[in-house]
Amino acid sequence: MRYQLFYWPEIQGRGEFVRLALEDAGASYEDVARKPGGVGRMMKMMDGREASAVPRRRFSRPATGDRAIREILFYLGPRLKLAPRVEADRLWLHQIAIDRHRFRQGGLPPGLRATSS
């Protein structure tokens, strides 16, 4: 399967995590955003005006920022053989990504408490 990578190229690093996963897996992909006319093509795709042979990943609710990246990587991981084959292990890996985001935001994952020494 050949993937198409759409993202806002003006936001530095926006497509980087997904692009790195595709590169690491040796997956065939097209970095649409970096091509001439890529943003226009992305807008057509978002409006449903551009038909694509590659199915688009749709989320049950809008996903933005780190959440979108986590969900895209959760979807791609097993398909690119970058995530464990056992479902429980894949879910654990996904939980680690969620916890990493919470730490970055200054929070703690459920079950952890801050203590003073």
Side-chain angles (χ1 to χ4, degrees), residues 13 62 69 96:
I69 293 167
I96 291 170

Side-chain angles (χ1 to χ4, degrees), residues 6 9 30-45 50:
F6 290 89
E30 175 186 11
D31 193 341
V32 176
R34 293 183 184 244
K35 290 188 168 192
V39 172
R41 195 168 154 206
M42 181 177 63
M43 295 304 293
K44 286 180 184 178
M45 185 269 307
E50 180 179 289

